[in-house]
């Protein structure tokens, strides 16, 4: 049982096809009835297989009818080499690149596409910087739905674009930014051309909550001091916050980690709002960053993200493209963990905030690394040492590697 409500005015929302409150234009959110969960203890959930649907008492769709690709259940790596290099007590990396389509989006999409089928929709759609489109295309294929994805022209990493095409979505390159594409797809959704599965659809963050449930489960309910994650359209940090709030409401945990959102310097409206102590933000007209996944100037869930940060005594900071690429390589080369640039922003943020003394050296930190390194091979190949060439002889290969 659950209810869709307005985040801003609190009113209940009846129409399942709106993407904002018909009364005040506010953001939508879901209030879960935690009745089923209240009869359980956290360890009871372990009787179910690892993954998003282990947490079905906290999800707003019928688990028996779920469209699932066995998402979630991703590794939580204890990164001792990284912690030593950065000079912090404990770092875990939650590796969301291990999801079926290589990003955390699958957690929300299994719930979102299941909801679309529950409502009898035939076509689903989204605007995307890449990962949402890859994920939606795959889940739509599994669910037998038509899929339309709108992408910012020329700004989507190769792996993501290939995935959306491969799973059979209609891929439309829009002349403009992600923010422009989101405006257009919202319009199509209003005209009932498609069911909108961007994260303004409140069913998406419900699935994304499960990353937080898993982190607690994998740490044996020993709550970390801080969770750091990249912020783009700003729904994921809200989802993580909501997860902790629900478990705290049940008395399953007694504290919530400091949620720390990291944006790229060229796309950092939330960081600027945080620095000014504001609960709302001023959009950025021309966002730019190498981390194309989070190249977003007008984050749809920005106000929710700010609430998550303030309420947990967290933080928001920006990192440069150079810091992102350096962190991406550091994680790969110290831990063997390959993440895409946006995901590396969390590690870059950790390094920066340790340097500034915002994060204490004795903290236990979890970085959520949201997407796989293979999503964006072009950026990786540009930032690495040149490939060596040799004739097919041992001698020549020895010459090449001695260079
Ligand atoms: N990391 C990656 C790899 C992403 O793809 C995204 C968002 C984020 C972080 C930020 O998450 O938007 O919830 O704050 N990607 C969206 C997309 C916008 O279209 O794939 P957020």
């Amino acid at each position: 049982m659950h209810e869709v409500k307005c985040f801003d005015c609190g009113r209940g929302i009846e129409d399942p096809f709106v993407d904002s409150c018909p009364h005040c234009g506010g953001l939508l959110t879901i209030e879960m009835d935690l009745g089923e969960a209240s009869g359980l203890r956290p360890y009871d959930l372990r009787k179910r297989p690892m993954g998003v649907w282990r947490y079905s008492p906290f999800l707003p769709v019928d688990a028996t009818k779920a469209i699932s690709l066995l998402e979630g259940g991703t590794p939580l790596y204890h990164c001792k080499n990284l912690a030593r290099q950065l000079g912090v007590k404990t770092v875990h990396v939650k590796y969301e690149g291990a999801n079926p389509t290589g990003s955390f989006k699958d957690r929300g999409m299994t719930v979102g596409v299941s909801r679309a089928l529950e409502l009898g929709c035939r076509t689903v759609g989204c605007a995307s910087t890449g990962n949402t489109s890859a994920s939606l295309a795959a889940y739509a294929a599994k669910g037998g739905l038509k899929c339309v994805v709108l992408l910012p022209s020329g700004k989507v990493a190769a792996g993501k674009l290939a995935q959306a095409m491969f799973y059979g979505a209609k891929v439309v390159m829009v002349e403009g930014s992600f923010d422009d594409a989101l405006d257009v797809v919202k319009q199509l959704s209003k005209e009932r051309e498609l069911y909108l599965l961007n994260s303004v659809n409140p069913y998406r963050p419900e699935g994304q909550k499960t990353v937080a449930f898993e982190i607690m489960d994998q740490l044996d309910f020993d709550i970390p001091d801080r969770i750091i994650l990249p912020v783009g359209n700003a729904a994921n940090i809200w989802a993580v916050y909501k997860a902790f709030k629900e478990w705290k409401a049940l008395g399953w945990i007694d504290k919530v980690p400091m949620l720390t959102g990291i944006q790229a310097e060229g796309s950092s409206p939330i960081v600027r709002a945080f620095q000014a102590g504001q609960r709302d933000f001023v959009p950025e007209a021309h966002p730019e960053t190498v981390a194309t996944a989070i190249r977003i100037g007008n984050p749809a869930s920005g106000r929710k993200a700010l609430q998550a940060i303030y309420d947990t005594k967290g933080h928001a900071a920006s990192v440069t493209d150079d810091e992102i690429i350096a962190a991406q390589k550091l994680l790969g080369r110290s831990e063997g963990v390959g993440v895409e640039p946006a995901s590396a922003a969390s590690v870059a943020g950790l390094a920066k905030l340790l340097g500034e003394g915002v994060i204490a050296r004795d903290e236990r930190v979890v970085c959520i690394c949201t997407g796989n390194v293979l999503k964006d091979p072009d950026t990786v190949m540009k930032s690495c040492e040149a490939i060596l060439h040799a004739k097919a002889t041992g001698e020549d290969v020895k010459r090449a590697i001695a260079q």
Side-chain angles (χ1 to χ4, degrees):
M1 292 281 284
H2 67 280
E3 197 183 350
V4 179
K5 286 196 153 180
C6 176
F7 171 77
D8 294 286
C9 74
R11 272 186 265 207
I13 309 291
E14 301 298 328
D15 184 347
F17 298 104
V18 293
D19 63 51
S20 59
C21 173
H23 310 287
C24 75
L27 299 166
L28 305 184
T29 186
I30 285 178
E31 198 171 286
M32 287 299 304
D33 173 357
L34 299 177
E36 183 192 342
S38 65
L40 300 169
R41 301 301 306 154
Y43 291 100
D44 295 333
L45 297 173
R46 291 190 179 167
K47 292 179 193 138
R48 307 165 195 232
M50 189 78 168
V52 166
W53 295 98
R54 168 178 279 190
Y55 306 100
S56 60
F58 298 87
L59 299 177
V61 295
D62 180 355
T64 62
K65 298 194 184 126
I67 301 299
S68 173
L69 292 166
L70 305 183
E71 50 292 314
T74 57
L76 183 72
Y77 294 123
H78 187 180
C79 294
K80 293 183 184 167
N81 300 334
L82 183 68
R84 201 177 314 115
Q85 293 208 29
L86 295 178
V88 60
K89 186 173 167 193
T90 313
V91 185
H92 284 89
V93 163
K94 182 64 170 163
Y95 185 53
E96 289 292 278
N99 274 297
T101 76
S103 87
F104 75 101
K105 303 289 180 182
D106 297 343
R107 294 182 184 273
M109 226 40 104
T110 183
V111 175
V113 168
S114 303
R115 173 67 177 163
L117 282 170
E118 207 172 76
L119 291 172
C121 302
R122 298 304 312 148
T123 305
V124 290
C126 68
S128 179
T129 56
N131 282 322
T132 300
S133 68
S135 183
L136 181 57
Y139 284 84
K142 176 88 176 175
L145 296 170
K146 291 192 188 126
C147 177
V148 180
V149 304
L150 276 60
L151 308 177
S153 186
K155 294 291 182 181
V156 177
K160 305 173 190 181
L161 185 56
Q163 286 179 294
M165 293 164 71
F166 174 73
Y167 293 119
K170 281 197 192 302
V171 177
V172 186
M173 286 287 185
V174 174
E175 293 167 23
S177 65
F178 165 83
D179 305 296
D180 299 323
L182 185 57
D183 287 344
V184 177
V185 81
K186 278 183 177 173
Q187 185 58 40
L188 296 182
S189 156
K190 268 197 194 76
E191 294 168 11
R192 298 284 169 89
E193 291 286 328
L194 47 81
Y195 180 64
L196 185 67
L197 274 170
N198 277 98
S199 55
V200 288
N201 181 324
Y203 288 80
R204 283 264 321 273
E206 291 302 306
Q208 290 175 202
K209 288 187 310 196
T210 59
V211 72
F213 296 150
E214 277 179 19
I215 290 169
M216 291 188 270
D217 209 340
Q218 288 167 311
L219 292 176
D220 227 358
F221 308 103
D222 186 11
I223 307 304
D225 298 311
R226 187 182 300 270
I227 293 185
I228 309 181
L229 66 165
V231 171
N233 214 23
N236 204 33
I237 193 166
W238 162 257
V240 168
Y241 168 70
K242 196 165 184 290
F244 281 107
K245 290 264 287 192
E246 288 177 2
W247 279 25
K248 192 150 181 275
L250 287 173
W252 286 11
I253 54 172
D254 57 10
K255 73 166 197 175
V256 173
M258 294 174 274
L259 297 184
T260 300
I262 309 297
Q263 295 197 292
E265 200 173 74
S267 313
S268 52
I270 301 303
V271 175
R272 279 187 279 109
F274 176 77
Q275 286 167 347
Q278 306 288 329
R279 292 203 158 255
D280 203 352
F281 63 94
V282 179
E284 207 157 285
H286 302 290
E288 206 47 82
T289 168
V290 69
T292 51
I294 52 172
R295 183 178 170 272
I296 295 175
N298 187 15
S301 301
R303 284 182 295 112
K304 287 180 173 176
L306 285 162
Q307 184 185 71
I309 292 166
Y310 289 127
D311 281 10
T312 61
K313 301 192 167 38
H315 200 83
S318 65
V319 289
T320 64
D321 283 0
D322 286 348
E323 287 168 334
I324 287 172
I325 297 300
Q328 185 190 25
K329 274 193 182 162
L330 177 65
L331 184 58
R333 292 174 183 200
S334 63
E335 296 288 347
V337 177
V339 305
E340 67 166 285
S343 310
S346 59
V347 177
L350 171 59
K352 177 172 171 176
L353 293 174
L354 281 167
E356 289 179 354
V358 173
I359 298 181
R361 303 266 167 201
D362 63 354
E363 283 188 24
R364 294 166 310 125
V365 177
V366 175
C367 290
I368 301 181
C369 285
T370 43
N372 196 296
V373 66
L374 295 174
K375 292 280 190 173
D376 188 355
D378 299 318
T379 300
V380 166
M381 286 190 284
K382 264 186 238 156
S383 76
C384 292
E385 296 75 16
I387 294 169
L388 306 170
H389 293 274
K391 296 195 185 81
T393 65
E395 270 317 297
D396 209 44
V397 170
K398 280 194 269 177
R399 175 203 56 77
I401 60 181
Q403 274 175 21

